[in-house]
Amino acid sequence: MRYSAFSILLNGLRGNTAWKPAWRAPKPKPHYDVIIVGGGGHGLATAYYLAKEFGIRNVAVLEKAYIGSGNVGRNTTIIRSNYLLPANNPFYELSLKLWEGLEQDLNFNAMISQRGVLNLFHSDAQRDAYMRRGNAMRLHGVDADLLDRTKVRQMLPFLDFENARFPIHGGLIQRRGGTARHDGVAWGYARGADSMGVDIIQECEVTAIRRENGKVTGVETSKGFIGCSKLAVAVAGNSSQVAAMADMRLPIESHVLQAFVSEGLKPFIDCVVTFGAGHFYVSQSDKGGLVFGGDMDGYNSYAQRGNLSTVEHVIEAGKAMIPALSRVRVLRSWGGIVDMSMDGTPIIDRTHIDNLYLNAGWCYGGFKATPGSGFCFAHLIARNEPHAVTREMRLDRFERGYLVDEKGQGAQPNLH
Amino acid sequence: MASLIPCPHCGQRPREEFTVKGAALVRPAADAGRNAWLDYVYLRDNPRGRYDEHWHHTSGCRRWLVVTRDTATHEIEGARDTAARTETVE
Amino acid sequence: MTSYRLDKGGLIDRSKPLSFTFDGKGMIGVEGDSLASALLANGQMLLGRSFKYHRPRGVISAGASEPNALMTVAQGGRTEPNTRATMQELYEGLVAQSQNRWPSLNIDISSLNSLLSPFLSAGFYYKTFMWPAGLWERLYEPLIRRAAGLGKATYEADPDRYEKCWAHCDLLIVGGGATGLAAALTAGRAGARVILVDENAMIGGGLLSETATIGGVSAVEFAGRTVAELESLPNVQVLSRTTAFGWYDGNVFGAVERVQKHASEPRPEVPVERLWRIVAKQAILAAGAEERPLIFGGNDIPGVMMASAMRAYLNRYGVAPGKSVAVFTTNDSGYTLARDLEKAGLRLVAIVDSRRSGATAGVYEGSARIINGGFVPDAEGGKALSSITILQDGRKEKLAVDSLAMSGGFSPVVHLAYHRGGRPEWSDAEATFVAPEDHKGLSLAGAAAKASGLAGCLEAGARKAEALLGKLEIKADPAAFGAVEGDIVAAPTKPVWIIPGIKGKAFVDFQNDVHHRDIGLAVREGYGHVELAKRYTTNGMATDQGKLSNVNAIGLLAEARGVSPADVGTTTFRPFYTPVSFGALAGTSHGKHFQPVRKSPLHDWAVKNGATFVETGLWYRSAWFPLAGEKTWRESVDREAKNVRRNAGLCDVSMLGKIEITGKDAAEFLDRVYCNAFRKLPVGKARYGLMLREDGFIFDDGTTSRLEDERFFMTTTTAYAAGVMNHLEFCAQALWPELDVRLASVTDQWAQMAIAGPKSRLILQRIVDQDISNEAFPFLGAKDVSLFGGKLSGRLFRISFSGELAYELAVPAGYGEAAADALMEAGNEHGICAYGVEALSVLRIEKGHVTHNEINGTVVPTDLGFGKMVSATKVDFIGKRLLEREGLNDPNRLQLVGVVPLDSGTSFRSGAHVLEKGAEATLENDQGYISSSCYSPHVGSTIGLALVKRGSSRHGEEVQVWNGLLNEFTAARLCHPIFVDPANEKLKG
């Protein structure tokens, strides 16, 4: 059922009783060409592109809870490609390009909104670092602009320009960056994949990976054994747990990252802004809530909830950046479990098991990567070789010493 | 739990006083194989459940502690000074 | 008195009128009023507009769950949007504005949305606004954004103060109703440390709206007496206006106290809100139960409200809900209200009871018409209720009323109990979701735990306190109370999720305009999972977080899916129980006080010498020292740099990290933490050291001096001072506890100054007692010295960041300014100047010295030309093994190199990239980047340090320095990174 203003009109006149399910609720088949573990953004996008770009449609996505129940549904919805390193930048730019045409591609309005992402800087050293980054983006043809203090002030006069502990010197802006309606992304991909024959199987938890002669033959699940020719894992947050089913240890720790939304407000802030003198970034959803976040709690966790000290830490930075937030009220906080990799960069790669593929380690940046990750993971699964833009996102980079460390923090995940 | 950490030297103290580093692992011997070193620096069990990790009482006694904590519930089982190699009752 | 105010009754003081305005219209309330009760008393039923359809809305509750009566309160920097009128205490001069309407509350153009509602069903926006693609940001989204949102926030800064505190107790009690008071009294009398928090101004909860008696006194009086006793106990702290908003690990509760939100003019010395972090050994959640709305057409029309809310307005605030009232109930509790309405002399038109059997025998003895087995499928009216339709046995009847109370049963308020995971479970017997009584550290009691009736709650509270204190080995006797009379104890009845025969819109989530058909649509479209339905319809995502709507939505989902609510389950409970302001959570940390300030012991010296300061981490560092007549910072910096190379300069370097390392194994320890050798460093010598991370990359650098055989003095970079200290402690305590080594951070103990330049020795010798000639104290010397003829001891290091003959002198922090003054005076005749971190930076770039601009966490020693420093002979040091990896030794790595423009009149900046001459500007062609740059007065042009692929072997190559961001493209040449005195002769002279 194609969505359009016309379909809304027609169905509205008929009392909205004729809308069809956005996706089926199929029973698992005994065998699939590809099983994707994880019905989050990356898993669903992978299924979609496998079907659309590579013609592989005998695919199942297995989700232990409901689709979008992981990080795609609990992030701060930011999309951008303002990466520094040549190993990252082309990948995120590919992803952003996919975002730009996604809604028409999916026939689903995920409210992708390119209202800009502005990173503030507060010192010469920070300015130089953003200059380096902005130029790396420009070299790859990615839009980036350096704004001085006056320009930032014209754009966002309500930032603290008068009384700040760390005065704002300027900012780096990517105008093509912005936000998307996170749940809508998962749903759009699910609907798109389903329409091409992909089976999306919810409340189906994988409990074991069955192997014979060094190859995966299928998975044991809460709905019984399901066979497959290729198994692809996209379960960020729980990657180590699923990898352990194949006796793998990963260069990944699971950490909790909190996010927040305020009460609904009339338009307050248009773009995404990140504070450079503390851990805080904010945007405003179309519904009116300020969506914001900051630093991780810092300890390993699978609990999808954090603690008050981090909440205070984030809010303090928020009020330091925008003093007028003082009387705004925070409505809700939640936690997502992020796969923190040891160099802060994701992994899209084959594994030591021939037909087992891994998509993991997205740190706190997985949402923006959703289309690119799905596209490149599908490429890897279908062709058995990495897409050009994920060449350096390999598992063996740690052993070989080719790390991709945007922040230069080394092998301590909670610093990335 | 990571609101309060039971420091063996200072008692229950708020999390803000501490810095967390990560898994409390044993550093390999200098002549251990390359894989032992790669494991130590990069690979993690990342368990869902009981976990030993290094916390530093940065704004307190400045001792490094091994805190045994459940990563699913955040319950803390105990904390000992890292230099106390065996688990002794304080 | 105003039109709806009753002549008597209620906990208000009719003799104390308070004037306030609503949408500019002056009104009068009285002391004790909430904003909502005052508005109702003034006959103001229309209080707001809903989110999507802009439907007229009144007030539906009398407490925290209010979804409709949200307004913007106060003005200027105190403007607070989305304030629940039910929770806002009235004060003299209060200014309230309605929200989400244009041009006015009464005439709101957007209410036309209602006519389009068939096309605005749940999730409609996912299906349209996609064509043409470019119109989303330019047309659709701006329209949607303008239409969405509730109140308007101010852009002004907040004039008021906030603060935070910690509190510790044996027993925390959340909720000061019958249960909480009984628990507090039991625990307080037992001597336990008790904290009782309640979100209302007056402690008492439901007792304050109650007409029953306890031990022969009114419930209100009972509450007053109990609170008075509690407040008399030194071990009990009673916090009113305090909302426990979250339960966190370690049994820490977050609570916010609205200290002055009810004040006309907040006192400046008192915070307006206070954040409490309460560490409780045990806690009782006695938050009561929330009454559920009934889902019928027009259930949102102003005049329809919860039965318990109507009772509160009637009994507590002395406000009549209307002139003719009906009650629609599924259980006995509706009759409590009916009784009180009749007692107050109001016209009770009918009681519609969905139960065919009607009320339990003896519950109601009034004279109102009772319609058993009846329903209200629809209420009618626009901005105020005018009538209701009654359905009984297939017959419909219209009744004219202006007020309707509804009761669909009760759900325990268990929110807080699930902030740390878990979910409540459906109970058919209780007809709601219930929680187990005991969670680790937190127990439920009273109506939150299935107890019903006042007597039941009092007993439950007392018993729970006794039991929990027992766990703490505090003996307590449960407080006993006299008999309760006049209380109607309503037993749970089977819920009626959807009223039969609905014609209009029946709202589930009032604020977000989710109606019953939206829930059905979600199920039809595949969003039937409770979490998907929430996200698709937005049910429960409003500012009340579904306090009134969640359970009803689950009931409707269950019906649509043909399963039990048990199979549907609940969504996740998360903080905050009610929204909390940024101000309260930020406390005193904002503006200039966002972070503490660190000042060097030489700060005042720098001020005296006219320094301009720059923020460096928490430090304020002296950046340059402008002289009269200097117009630009460059003039000052050039002069300072030149003067250092020509004469001498003094620079404050106190903020470098300083660590004292002692013990028998101190040398061995340093040998392990640095990649170069330290064990054989002679006493009296300093050495540059490079510290790696375990992964082989450089962590930090600095000099370490051996002052005695077992005493070393380490300096670190300013940025990494704390990090290095933590790291060394980790090494000493966790990695090698067998080593005898002790560490002390002495950064704050020493004032340290660099005295650099050819005249530095002459100047220093004036205050240093020992001989510091080149022979007596050569390059890299380090020793304790006496100063000013033995008046002061200090430490002198002959080290040089500038490449000149130079020293660093450390003196006890308190003497720093005096020592610096003396040096400046001594140096006067030699032309000494003060120089700041900018000139310091110029001097170091001219010498190719690296800082964290280069040591950025991705470089290894060979990248910076330090390959030979890495010990090949040491058995072990941090980083040794993984430094061997292929990727860390790849010849294509970025390496340190100098850069100069071909034309000295041109320049470039840090952050520009390096491309081969003539190469196209692509990422593939990227050769590296400028890491540091400055204007060098000695070279006479801009110079830079860069990290460039194979840089060390490309000296002399012409390149382009590419800065697309600023449109600056500079032809340049790569060169050796030492621009001045390449043979390093000056520093040894």
Side-chain angles (χ1 to χ4, degrees):
Chain A
M1 178 180 261
R2 198 170 159 75
Y3 292 159
S4 65
F6 181 69
S7 73
I8 289 181
L9 196 67
L10 206 64
N11 277 285
L13 293 172
R14 292 179 187 159
N16 286 315
T17 52
W19 289 108
K20 295 283 185 302
W23 45 79
R24 297 162 295 130
K27 288 225 159 28
K29 291 191 261 186
H31 186 273
Y32 291 92
D33 292 341
V34 178
I35 285 180
I36 297 164
V37 187
H42 290 220
L44 293 165
T46 303
Y48 176 77
Y49 291 116
L50 268 178
K52 178 169 175 268
E53 301 291 332
F54 301 96
I56 301 175
R57 298 182 173 203
N58 183 24
V59 174
V61 178
L62 308 185
E63 166 53 49
K64 73 174 173 181
Y66 57 97
I67 55 167
S69 53
N71 293 333
V72 73
R74 52 188 78 245
N75 58 77
T76 43
T77 79
I78 297 166
I79 62 173
R80 59 183 171 89
S81 63
N82 54 359
Y83 277 73
L84 169 69
L85 297 177
N88 275 327
N89 187 307
F91 168 78
Y92 287 100
E93 178 58 14
L94 168 75
S95 197
L96 188 56
K97 290 227 167 77
L98 289 168
W99 281 117
E100 286 174 329
L102 191 66
E103 293 159 319
Q104 289 70 30
D105 189 16
L106 295 177
N107 179 233
F108 198 95
N109 185 358
M111 300 180 206
I112 290 139
S113 174
Q114 295 178 290
R115 298 194 313 279
V117 172
L118 174 67
N119 301 119
L120 299 177
F121 55 79
H122 308 255
S123 70
D124 290 353
Q126 268 186 330
R127 179 203 57 209
D128 293 351
Y130 278 128
M131 189 94 79
R132 179 185 167 205
R133 178 190 297 228
N135 277 314
M137 293 162 66
R138 285 285 191 103
L139 277 175
H140 191 56
V142 179
D143 74 301
D145 283 294
L146 201 75
L147 306 182
D148 62 15
R149 179 179 161 92
T150 311
K151 289 209 183 102
V152 173
R153 192 166 192 168
Q154 279 163 1
M155 201 174 141
L156 303 167
F158 48 86
L159 302 182
D160 193 349
F161 286 96
E162 295 300 327
N163 193 37
R165 172 71 177 81
F166 302 103
I168 295 164
H169 289 202
L172 180 73
I173 188 166
Q174 182 181 24
R175 295 183 206 277
R176 285 165 62 240
T179 58
R181 167 83 184 107
H182 56 359
D183 293 324
V185 174
W187 301 338
Y189 273 121
R191 178 168 162 269
D194 174 90
S195 73
M196 291 184 285
V198 172
D199 282 357
I200 295 163
I201 304 164
Q202 303 186 67
E203 293 174 315
C204 178
E205 181 171 6
V206 171
T207 52
I209 295 174
R210 197 187 283 180
R211 281 172 288 167
E212 279 165 32
N213 304 322
K215 293 195 80 169
V216 172
T217 56
V219 288
E220 308 285 351
T221 77
S222 52
K223 296 192 175 185
F225 176 78
I226 311 174
C228 65
S229 306
K230 292 182 174 183
L231 182 65
V233 176
V235 294
N238 290 291
S239 297
S240 300
Q241 302 298 308
V242 176
M245 296 176 193
D247 300 318
M248 288 176 70
R249 287 168 79 226
L250 299 179
I252 283 173
E253 290 182 4
S254 297
H255 281 257
V256 59
L257 176 65
Q258 298 194 64
F260 309 83
V261 65
S262 78
E263 293 183 336
L265 300 169
K266 288 292 172 195
F268 183 82
I269 189 164
D270 202 40
C271 60
V272 182
V273 191
T274 73
F275 194 36
H279 295 283
F280 182 74
Y281 55 90
V282 64
S283 65
Q284 187 170 17
S285 77
D286 285 343
K287 190 164 177 280
L290 300 179
V291 181
F292 60 96
D295 201 9
M296 294 189 297
D297 273 39
Y299 45 83
N300 284 38
S301 173
Y302 286 94
Q304 292 193 335
R305 61 190 175 79
N307 274 292
L308 187 55
S309 60
T310 307
V311 176
E312 294 173 42
H313 185 73
V314 172
I315 299 267
E316 286 168 4
K319 187 172 168 184
M321 184 171 100
I322 307 178
L325 286 178
S326 188
R327 298 269 172 168
V328 171
R329 282 181 286 250
V330 194
L331 175 61
R332 188 171 167 96
S333 66
W334 62 94
I337 301 307
V338 292
D339 260 14
M340 294 305 296
S341 74
M342 292 308 234
D343 63 355
T345 294
I347 295 157
I348 300 184
D349 203 358
R350 303 169 60 179
T351 65
H352 69 289
I353 299 170
D354 230 16
N355 58 344
L356 175 65
Y357 302 83
L358 181 68
N359 174 319
W362 291 96
C363 299
Y364 38 77
F367 179 69
K368 73 179 90 68
T370 304
S373 168
F375 192 91
C376 294
F377 199 35
H379 182 284
L380 175 74
I381 297 162
R383 301 259 171 90
N384 256 342
E385 60 185 45
H387 187 282
V389 299
T390 58
R391 259 191 319 249
E392 298 188 55
M393 297 178 176
R394 310 291 299 270
L395 256 175
D396 67 358
R397 66 179 186 263
F398 302 97
E399 187 185 327
R400 295 176 58 236
Y402 288 94
L403 298 128
V404 184
D405 190 346
E406 285 266 330
K407 286 199 177 169
Q409 292 290 0
Q412 192 177 331
N414 65 1
L415 299 180
H416 283 292
Chain B
M1 62 185 165
S3 287
L4 300 168
I5 307 291
C7 175
H9 307 294
C10 313
Q12 293 260 49
R13 301 297 306 167
R15 184 255 179 275
E16 290 91 322
E17 294 182 358
F18 296 81
T19 312
V20 57
K21 185 178 171 76
L25 306 170
V26 177
R27 188 172 184 265
D31 57 354
R34 165 75 68 91
N35 283 341
W37 277 96
L38 286 168
D39 268 28
Y40 171 66
V41 174
Y42 289 114
L43 296 187
R44 295 290 177 266
D45 287 338
N46 195 19
R48 183 189 187 91
R50 196 173 189 270
Y51 188 55
D52 283 346
E53 64 194 353
H54 272 129
W55 289 73
H56 184 229
H57 198 179
T58 312
S59 305
C61 61
R62 295 204 64 91
R63 293 296 300 181
W64 280 92
L65 313 176
V66 175
V67 176
T68 305
R69 199 174 56 88
D70 189 304
T71 61
T73 65
H74 293 177
E75 287 299 325
I76 289 181
E77 193 178 300
R80 61 182 168 86
D81 192 293
T82 180
R85 283 278 161 105
T86 52
E87 291 206 36
T88 52
V89 180
E90 293 292 326
Chain C
M1 279 291 110
T2 43
S3 51
Y4 285 79
R5 183 78 69 190
L6 299 170
D7 295 337
K8 58 181 190 334
L11 309 179
I12 50 171
D13 188 344
R14 288 176 177 74
S15 69
K16 291 186 178 151
L18 300 171
S19 56
F20 69 104
T21 66
F22 176 65
D23 282 346
K25 188 174 154 198
M27 297 188 182
I28 306 283
V30 296
E31 193 160 296
D33 258 331
S34 69
L35 177 54
S37 71
L39 286 161
L40 290 179
N42 281 274
Q44 181 72 42
M45 294 294 176
L46 175 60
L47 299 181
R49 291 279 177 168
S50 67
F51 181 73
K52 185 152 109 182
Y53 303 128
H54 289 249
R55 285 175 63 106
R57 292 284 165 80
V59 64
I60 190 168
S61 81
S65 58
E66 179 61 35
N68 289 336
L70 304 183
M71 39 201 67
T72 302
V73 168
Q75 292 169 297
R78 293 194 173 108
T79 303
E80 282 190 18
N82 308 332
T83 300
R84 288 156 298 168
T86 51
M87 294 302 288
Q88 175 64 52
E89 291 170 63
L90 192 68
Y91 57 79
E92 175 62 32
L94 185 149
V95 176
Q97 300 278 344
S98 61
Q99 304 182 155
N100 201 34
R101 77 289 184 270
W102 187 85
S104 73
L105 182 58
N106 218 23
I107 303 161
D108 180 5
I109 298 289
S110 296
S111 60
L112 293 171
N113 285 0
S114 259
L115 301 176
L116 298 174
S117 66
F119 316 115
L120 305 180
S121 59
F124 78 96
Y125 32 77
Y126 297 117
K127 298 169 181 165
T128 186
F129 303 130
M130 287 179 272
W131 308 271
L135 277 193
W136 173 252
E137 282 90 348
R138 277 182 284 134
L139 176 67
Y140 302 130
E141 192 182 43
L143 287 176
I144 290 171
R145 286 172 82 86
R146 222 168 299 150
L150 298 164
K152 200 165 171 4
T154 178
Y155 283 125
E156 288 181 47
D158 188 336
D160 292 327
R161 292 183 49 211
Y162 297 82
E163 70 181 24
K164 301 183 189 183
C165 59
W166 284 89
H168 299 256
C169 62
D170 296 317
L171 184 65
L172 168 71
I173 298 156
V174 178
T179 309
L181 286 175
L185 206 56
T186 300
R189 284 173 180 169
R193 292 171 68 191
V194 177
I195 297 177
L196 171 68
V197 302
D198 190 281
E199 62 185 349
N200 290 293
M202 195 182 281
I203 305 274
L207 293 172
L208 305 178
S209 313
E210 195 45 72
T211 46
T213 60
I214 301 167
V217 303
S218 76
V220 171
E221 192 177 338
F222 168 81
R225 284 184 189 180
T226 308
V227 171
E229 180 177 345
L230 289 172
E231 285 178 338
S232 75
L233 296 171
N235 51 316
V236 177
Q237 182 160 23
V238 179
L239 294 171
S240 63
R241 301 186 173 102
T242 304
T243 304
F245 61 74
W247 183 34
Y248 297 93
D249 293 328
N251 230 32
V252 172
F253 292 79
V256 63
E257 181 183 3
R258 298 181 303 280
V259 184
Q260 294 198 89
K261 285 290 175 89
H262 57 293
S264 295
E265 269 304 315
R267 286 154 57 202
E269 72 279 16
V270 179
V272 68
E273 289 188 283
R274 183 181 287 127
L275 181 76
W276 290 82
R277 289 159 295 193
I278 303 171
V279 185
K281 287 182 185 155
Q282 292 290 336
I284 294 177
L285 179 59
E290 192 77 62
E291 197 168 22
R292 291 198 293 266
L294 290 164
I295 315 283
F296 54 88
N299 61 346
D300 64 327
I301 296 171
V304 181
M305 67 169 77
M306 304 310 309
S308 55
M310 195 178 282
R311 197 161 178 242
Y313 290 115
L314 187 69
N315 294 339
R316 178 173 171 185
Y317 297 107
V319 174
K323 309 285 185 200
S324 54
V325 190
V327 175
F328 179 22
T329 187
T330 64
N331 61 85
D332 284 350
S333 74
Y335 293 88
T336 322
L337 169 68
R339 187 190 62 188
D340 292 352
L341 285 166
E342 286 181 310
K343 205 162 145 195
L346 293 169
R347 186 166 163 256
L348 181 56
V349 178
I351 302 171
V352 184
D353 191 326
S354 66
R355 297 170 295 181
R356 198 154 286 282
S357 55
T360 309
V363 158
Y364 181 66
E365 287 159 352
S367 57
R369 176 185 170 196
I370 296 178
I371 301 161
N372 286 332
F375 298 95
V376 178
D378 279 289
E380 296 91 23
K383 291 166 196 157
L385 184 66
S386 54
S387 64
I388 56 174
T389 300
I390 291 170
L391 175 70
Q392 188 189 31
D393 297 327
R395 281 179 298 108
K396 281 195 173 175
E397 178 187 348
K398 210 167 237 194
L399 289 181
V401 295
D402 61 1
S403 182
L404 174 67
M406 57 181 167
S407 178
F410 290 82
S411 304
V413 178
V414 297
H415 208 289
L416 224 51
Y418 291 104
H419 284 184
R420 294 170 67 192
R423 278 162 207 227
E425 287 186 359
W426 177 258
S427 156
D428 274 325
E430 302 294 330
T432 187
F433 286 90
V434 296
E437 269 191 32
D438 294 306
H439 305 250
K440 202 172 176 190
L442 173 69
S443 294
L444 280 65
K450 299 180 273 186
S452 56
L454 280 178
C457 285
L458 289 168
E459 188 186 341
R463 292 234 169 263
K464 186 57 80 182
E466 180 201 15
L468 294 181
L469 292 181
K471 290 189 190 178
L472 304 177
E473 295 177 349
I474 298 172
K475 170 134 184 48
D477 295 321
F481 307 96
V484 173
E485 285 177 24
D487 184 30
I488 294 180
V489 181
T493 57
K494 193 174 178 330
V496 183
W497 299 122
I498 185 81
I499 306 302
I502 295 174
K503 284 231 165 67
K505 270 202 182 56
F507 286 90
V508 186
D509 187 312
F510 293 89
Q511 192 181 121
N512 275 351
D513 276 340
V514 179
H515 54 84
H516 71 293
R517 291 188 190 98
D518 288 325
I519 306 280
L521 179 65
V523 173
R524 272 200 300 287
E525 294 200 280
Y527 302 89
H529 190 287
V530 66
E531 294 280 6
L532 290 176
K534 167 188 159 180
R535 287 159 172 75
Y536 191 59
T537 64
T538 74
N539 191 91
M541 293 171 78
T543 60
D544 53 294
Q545 282 205 57
K547 287 184 174 59
L548 295 182
S549 66
N550 282 346
V551 177
N552 278 337
I554 291 163
L556 292 176
L557 277 173
E559 290 205 339
R561 285 167 51 185
V563 298
S564 154
D567 301 316
V568 175
T570 69
T571 54
T572 313
F573 292 90
R574 291 188 180 280
F576 303 80
Y577 174 65
T578 53
V580 181
S581 73
F582 268 70
L585 287 163
T588 56
S589 171
H590 57 91
K592 290 276 187 224
H593 301 286
F594 167 50
Q595 296 281 307
V597 168
R598 290 186 83 177
K599 284 183 184 169
S600 149
L602 295 176
H603 188 85
D604 291 343
W605 166 81
V607 170
K608 207 159 56 185
N609 284 275
T612 300
F613 290 91
V614 62
E615 301 83 8
T616 307
L618 298 181
W619 295 98
Y620 280 109
R621 288 191 79 167
S622 36
W624 63 87
F625 294 81
L627 293 183
E630 287 175 346
K631 293 188 188 68
T632 67
W633 66 273
R634 260 283 306 283
E635 273 184 69
S636 309
V637 173
D638 286 358
R639 171 186 49 77
E640 289 171 16
K642 281 198 282 198
N643 194 64
V644 170
R645 296 224 188 279
R646 186 182 311 131
N647 298 311
L650 193 158
C651 182
D652 180 9
V653 294
S654 304
M655 48 291 288
L656 291 178
K658 297 182 273 300
I659 299 167
E660 192 129 334
I661 301 154
T662 58
K664 275 210 294 293
D665 298 316
E668 169 67 21
F669 178 76
L670 288 169
D671 229 29
R672 295 188 194 183
V673 297
Y674 279 124
C675 72
N676 50 329
F678 270 82
R679 201 198 311 241
K680 291 179 183 158
L681 178 69
V683 171
K685 280 290 180 189
R687 180 170 289 169
Y688 178 71
L690 211 51
M691 229 178 254
L692 307 187
R693 300 189 307 232
E694 203 71 275
D695 65 0
F697 293 88
I698 303 178
F699 177 49
D700 198 44
D701 68 347
T703 56
T704 290
S705 307
R706 192 167 204 166
L707 300 171
E708 294 167 22
D709 200 36
E710 295 177 7
R711 177 181 296 273
F712 291 80
F713 182 79
M714 175 188 284
T715 62
T716 74
T717 59
T718 303
Y720 276 55
V724 169
M725 184 66 190
N726 292 358
H727 171 67
L728 294 183
E729 285 173 330
F730 180 77
C731 293
Q733 297 169 21
L735 300 186
W736 308 304
E738 68 280 5
L739 294 186
D740 176 36
V741 58
R742 282 170 297 283
L743 303 157
S745 168
V746 293
T747 304
D748 293 331
Q749 273 63 38
W750 296 98
Q752 193 152 319
M753 52 209 99
I755 304 100
K759 312 255 176 81
S760 57
R761 183 186 291 129
L762 281 173
I763 297 165
L764 254 180
Q765 189 69 75
R766 295 270 300 273
I767 70 160
V768 177
D769 300 339
Q770 286 88 345
D771 176 13
I772 56 167
S773 67
N774 201 32
E775 296 68 37
F777 193 59
F779 181 56
L780 294 177
K783 65 177 181 187
D784 289 335
V785 290
S786 82
L787 305 167
F788 306 111
K791 288 191 192 125
L792 185 65
S793 324
R795 285 175 178 172
L796 190 64
F797 309 91
R798 190 165 159 198
I799 52 179
S800 177
F801 202 40
S802 58
E804 296 299 316
L805 169 67
Y807 301 82
E808 287 187 16
L809 174 67
V811 299
Y815 294 94
E817 191 175 343
D821 285 344
L823 281 169
M824 291 298 284
E825 200 186 318
N828 196 24
E829 58 180 289
H830 302 293
I832 196 172
C833 74
Y835 69 104
V837 67
E838 287 295 338
L840 183 84
S841 180
V842 169
L843 295 166
R844 72 96 186 162
I845 294 171
E846 288 178 337
K847 287 299 292 179
H849 286 150
V850 295
T851 64
H852 278 292
N853 288 12
E854 288 75 32
I855 304 177
N856 58 17
T858 64
V859 298
V860 295
T862 49
D863 298 343
L864 302 181
F866 294 143
K868 286 189 185 139
M869 279 178 71
V870 180
S871 167
T873 54
K874 285 197 285 187
V875 177
D876 191 11
F877 59 84
I878 299 275
K880 178 178 164 78
R881 287 307 301 274
L882 294 193
L883 184 57
E884 296 161 5
R885 287 176 291 171
E886 172 193 348
L888 278 63
N889 296 282
D890 189 321
N892 279 319
R893 288 184 62 84
L894 305 184
Q895 294 171 335
L896 184 73
V897 68
V899 191
V900 283
L902 293 186
D903 174 352
S904 63
T906 60
S907 69
F908 50 73
R909 305 179 204 224
S910 306
H913 284 238
V914 175
L915 298 171
E916 283 174 14
K917 186 181 174 185
E920 198 189 336
T922 65
L923 199 56
E924 291 71 32
N925 288 338
D926 192 9
Q927 298 296 300
Y929 62 96
I930 308 290
S931 54
S932 297
S933 67
C934 67
Y935 175 79
S936 164
H938 302 96
V939 175
S941 78
T942 291
I943 59 171
L945 299 178
L947 287 159
V948 173
K949 281 180 186 165
R950 301 179 309 281
S952 64
S953 60
R954 292 169 72 172
H955 297 176
E957 180 180 330
E958 282 184 23
V959 294
Q960 43 173 329
V961 178
W962 190 89
N963 194 335
L965 271 184
L966 301 184
N967 261 317
E968 290 174 358
F969 310 98
T970 314
R973 180 181 288 113
L974 302 181
C975 61
H976 193 276
I978 304 184
F979 296 90
V980 167
D981 184 25
N984 280 335
E985 283 164 353
K986 295 170 80 172
L987 52 80
K988 292 174 185 156

